[in-house]
Amino acid sequence: MLSFLKSKPKLSDLIPSGYVDIHSHILPGIDDGAKTLEDTEFLLEEMKQLGFTKVITTPHTMSTVWENTPETIQNASIKVKSELSLPFEIQAASEYLLDESVITKAKNKELLTLKGNFVLVELSYLNAPIQLYDFLYQLQLSGYHVVLAHPERYSYIHSNKKEYQKLKKAGCLFQLNLLSTVGYYGKDAADIANYLLKKEMYDFTGSDIHHRNHIRAFQSKIVGSNGDKITEVMKKNSFFK
């Protein structure tokens, strides 16, 4: 059968054995993810069914919105571990909105990291900070490796693909949101995800699971022809075992 007539795989079928997820919002009641312990339990069980074997969950830390600290995050993690029968290992980190407060935290070594000195950061969906490259430099000067969450979702970069190369040269590691590959965030994000996959610019992946709709979306078919590349990038998450 001609390749263009072949049925595209569901995202759930591409998950490799031993997958470690490094981006989710499953701790209850501390950001826009899981609201209750029951929500957390549901999401964890579904992630197990998808084939996840470890989750590094990353609640938002965002000034004036989600004022999380390592203490609030660890306390929520302890509550989950003490009250639920966990299907796999859970570790807690954070997803930091890149701004001046993060730089201060970095200088004080107050960032909750994915592993060692690898920190997950996100940009505003409206626009990048004016000091973007200075912030990236300051984080690295403080000893951190920057993992940029879902670069394909920042619409203000879409029309200037050279910016992705600039971010990579500035030391950013790229984390693909898996649901971008099924069009969950729209056609533009899916197109950029496919572009970055083809250019082999992604270093890691994350589910960015917040709720049941995200779980259901894993049963959708990918919209590009990069199934093998998606799986290969997911395998790179074994670094965080």
Side-chain angles (χ1 to χ4, degrees), residues 117-130:
N117 54 359
F118 287 77
V119 62
L120 184 68
V121 304
E122 65 175 332
L123 307 180
S124 165
Y125 291 117
L126 299 177
N127 51 262
I130 295 173

Side-chain angles (χ1 to χ4, degrees), residues 124-158:
S124 165
Y125 291 117
L126 299 177
N127 51 262
I130 295 173
Q131 313 97 311
L132 172 58
Y133 289 95
D134 180 59
F135 285 165
L136 295 175
Y137 174 72
Q138 291 296 328
L139 280 172
Q140 292 171 84
L141 200 61
S142 295
Y144 291 95
H145 293 293
V146 178
V147 180
L148 180 62
H150 41 64
E152 72 279 356
R153 294 187 63 190
Y154 306 121
S155 59
Y156 46 84
I157 307 180
H158 290 177

Side-chain angles (χ1 to χ4, degrees), residues 157-170:
I157 307 180
H158 290 177
S159 61
N160 182 17
K161 292 186 176 68
K162 289 183 179 179
E163 196 70 19
Y164 294 109
Q165 297 171 351
K166 187 176 178 182
L167 286 165
K168 293 292 284 187
K169 288 179 180 178

